[in-house]
Amino acid sequence: MPVQIKLIAGSILLAGMIGLAGCSSNNEAGNSESQATAPTETAVTATSEPEVSPSSTPAETVPAATSSPTETDKDSTGSNSQNSDKQLKELLELAKKGKVPGVKYAAHTGLIDEVEADWGKPDQQESAGKGIYATYTDKHVVFGFNKGSLIFDVRSSDSALQKLTLKQIEATLGKPDATKVNGDDKIYTYQANDQYQLKFIIPSSTGTVDHISVFSEQDSFNNMAG
């Protein structure tokens, strides 16, 4: 009888030890499984966010930054070229009539007496070169006339003319028929027709037009000196 009790007690003790070992093994497996899966979820969460944000932002901003200046430059360049071309063609057409823009008195046909009756006495009048020159400062105009009062030279220094360059002039009118140097000034002459010359006076210091001249050479010799 005592032997049987010892066997039963031993069996119970052995079963209890096996049960404890099983619980411990399950706990360790659960912990290791939990640790194994957690980093995988964290990694997915951490890497999924940056893939969307940086890739979309540059694609949207780069085209907007590069397209605008190109269109502006083209418009600006085209507009300036068209304006100067139109302006120079108008100057040449007026020169064929002995005139400059905004002035009704022409070389070869106009008289200084008519100008003075309309505009008053000039701000300055002096002999120069082949005739006498009358300056009207406010109107940016100078008239050259001979002793018979006939106008042979009409000059304009209007600000609209002073933006023109030799490059623009030659692009529209071609190479000048004559070029002359007078001190710092370079004078580029175009033969408008048999009667008139169109001259552009460009100082080397600026590279842009200072003034233009519509000149009737044959009238500059008619001084009626007697």
Side-chain angles (χ1 to χ4, degrees):
M1 186 68 179
V3 175
Q4 293 179 346
I5 293 172
K6 288 181 180 181
L7 290 173
I8 294 171
S11 299
I12 293 172
L13 179 61
L14 182 59
M17 290 176 66
I18 293 172
L20 290 172
C23 290
S24 175
S25 177
N26 289 337
N27 288 337
E28 289 177 359
N31 289 337
S32 62
E33 183 178 354
S34 175
Q35 292 174 356
T37 56
T40 304
E41 294 174 357
T42 304
V44 171
T45 304
T47 57
S48 61
E49 181 71 20
E51 289 177 1
V52 176
S53 179
S55 62
S56 61
T57 303
E60 294 171 355
T61 56
V62 170
T66 57
S67 61
S68 180
T70 303
E71 294 172 359
T72 303
D73 290 345
K74 286 182 179 180
D75 291 343
S76 177
T77 304
S79 177
N80 289 339
S81 177
Q82 290 175 358
N83 289 341
S84 63
D85 183 66
K86 180 180 178 181
Q87 182 182 15
L88 286 161
K89 287 178 179 178
E90 289 176 351
L91 289 178
L92 184 61
E93 289 305 310
L94 284 171
K96 292 176 181 179
K97 302 174 183 178
K99 295 182 177 182
V100 300
V103 180
K104 65 181 180 179
Y105 303 105
H108 182 62
T109 58
L111 299 173
I112 193 64
D113 298 337
E114 297 172 335
V115 178
E116 290 185 3
D118 189 10
W119 289 5
K121 291 291 182 179
D123 299 302
Q124 183 177 345
Q125 184 168 301
E126 59 185 351
S127 297
K130 299 176 181 179
I132 305 166
Y133 283 81
T135 301
Y136 289 86
T137 306
D138 291 343
K139 296 184 181 295
H140 307 287
V141 176
V142 176
F143 295 99
F145 59 96
N146 59 32
K147 291 184 178 180
S149 295
L150 183 67
I151 296 171
F152 64 83
D153 191 1
V154 185
R155 301 179 180 181
S156 174
S157 58
D158 188 88
S159 59
L161 302 170
Q162 295 178 336
K163 299 176 183 179
L164 293 170
T165 65
L166 178 61
K167 183 178 180 180
Q168 291 173 323
I169 295 168
E170 290 184 342
T172 300
L173 303 181
K175 294 292 183 180
D177 296 303
T179 301
K180 180 181 178 181
V181 177
N182 183 20
D184 182 55
D185 296 337
K186 289 186 177 180
I187 304 171
Y188 301 94
T189 301
Y190 290 84
Q191 196 70 42
N193 54 26
D194 292 340
Q195 184 68 52
Y196 301 109
Q197 295 173 346
L198 172 60
K199 301 182 180 184
F200 297 90
I201 294 79
I202 302 179
S204 299
S205 57
T206 64
T208 58
V209 170
D210 178 76
H211 65 276
I212 65 169
S213 166
V214 175
F215 186 72
S216 173
E217 187 173 19
Q218 70 180 52
D219 295 314
S220 68
F221 297 112
N222 182 18
N223 292 320
M224 297 182 65

